[in-house]
Amino acid sequence: MSKAETEEIADRAPQVRRTVTRTLVVLAGMFAFAFALVPLYDVFCQVTGLNGKTSDSAQALANQQADLSRTVNMQFITRASNGLPWRLEADTRQIRVHPGASTEVYFTFTNLSDRSMVARAVPSVTPSEASLYLRKLACFCFENQQLAPGESFEAPLVFQLTRELPDDIRTVTMVYTLHPQESGPRQVQVSDPTFDQWLAGHVSALDLAMNNS
């Protein structure tokens, strides 16, 4: 290699280092953006109802009278992710509700394995637009559920479809998918500590309408 070529390479070395440094910075930024994209997307979906994602915390029910002139068919579908030896069953797979009325249904978790495991039920709603009008006062989906081998656990879902639900939505489907978790206590979260008193003394307009039908 000639002296001129050696000098040319030496002159280009700083430029090459700058190019490599910039490339590494860009790659690091792209990686950080991709890492943050998932939680940001989840927040966006919860706010907009995109993909039927629902709130992961308890919500106060809207103070509304039931719209007895409208009936919405509410369906519940449950499933477990691949490799999770659990079963989640809806005691009531389909129920008719009036927008504005509160409704209570129960689900049963069963650990079919021979060891203690933790799982969480992640909900989604179809059509996705309906998730904007769904409020959950109590839901097992707010917390991880831990079950011993062969143990079963029954938990309530107390929800409300608000009166603002568009008239053209006549059927709403909630799908709960069980996913394995690292750890976590069994807990059903409610937004009001007096929930038990409220629930015991509350008679929904839906129940009244069904009794009179």
Side-chain angles (χ1 to χ4, degrees):
M1 182 179 296
S2 66
K3 182 179 179 180
E5 290 175 335
T6 302
E7 291 177 349
E8 183 179 357
I9 292 175
D11 291 339
R12 290 182 177 178
Q15 182 179 356
V16 172
R17 284 196 295 270
R18 287 195 297 270
T19 301
V20 172
T21 300
R22 290 172 181 171
T23 302
L24 292 176
V25 170
V26 171
L27 289 175
M30 292 174 64
F31 177 80
F33 177 75
F35 185 79
L37 192 59
V38 173
L40 288 174
Y41 177 74
D42 287 341
V43 171
F44 176 77
C45 288
Q46 288 182 7
V47 172
T48 64
L50 184 66
N51 287 340
K53 284 186 174 289
T54 66
S55 174
D56 59 0
S57 59
Q59 302 162 290
L61 301 185
N63 185 18
Q64 297 180 339
Q65 294 292 325
D67 183 357
L68 301 182
S69 67
R70 294 178 58 195
T71 300
V72 179
N73 188 34
M74 195 77 183
Q75 300 176 336
F76 303 100
I77 298 175
T78 58
R79 59 191 182 188
S81 59
N82 291 335
L84 179 65
W86 280 41
R87 181 173 63 237
L88 175 60
E89 296 178 298
D91 294 357
T92 302
R93 292 195 171 274
Q94 186 166 286
I95 189 172
R96 293 177 301 160
V97 302
H98 296 296
S102 60
T103 304
E104 178 189 17
V105 293
Y106 279 84
F107 292 73
T108 301
F109 293 79
T110 303
N111 180 0
L112 302 175
S113 73
D114 58 358
R115 60 190 178 92
S116 179
M117 297 185 68
V118 180
R120 184 167 185 170
V122 178
S124 62
V125 176
T126 302
S128 59
E129 183 184 3
S131 63
L132 298 174
Y133 309 96
L134 174 66
R135 292 176 175 268
K136 300 191 298 291
L137 173 66
C139 183
F140 46 84
C141 60
F142 298 148
E143 301 289 343
N144 294 344
Q145 309 300 329
Q146 182 171 358
L147 294 180
E151 183 183 4
S152 292
F153 167 58
E154 188 175 61
L157 165 66
V158 180
F159 71 94
Q160 175 192 47
L161 290 173
T162 64
R163 292 173 63 106
E164 291 75 24
L165 181 76
D167 292 339
D168 61 340
I169 298 180
R170 296 181 174 86
T171 298
V172 176
T173 302
M174 289 192 70
V175 179
Y176 282 99
T177 304
L178 280 171
H179 294 279
Q181 302 293 314
E182 291 293 332
S183 63
R186 175 192 305 168
Q187 182 177 351
V188 178
Q189 179 185 347
V190 297
S191 62
D192 187 344
T194 61
F195 166 71
D196 290 330
Q197 298 176 2
W198 173 88
L199 191 59
H202 183 76
V203 178
S204 69
L206 172 62
D207 295 333
L208 180 61
M210 286 187 170
N211 291 335
N212 293 334
S213 61

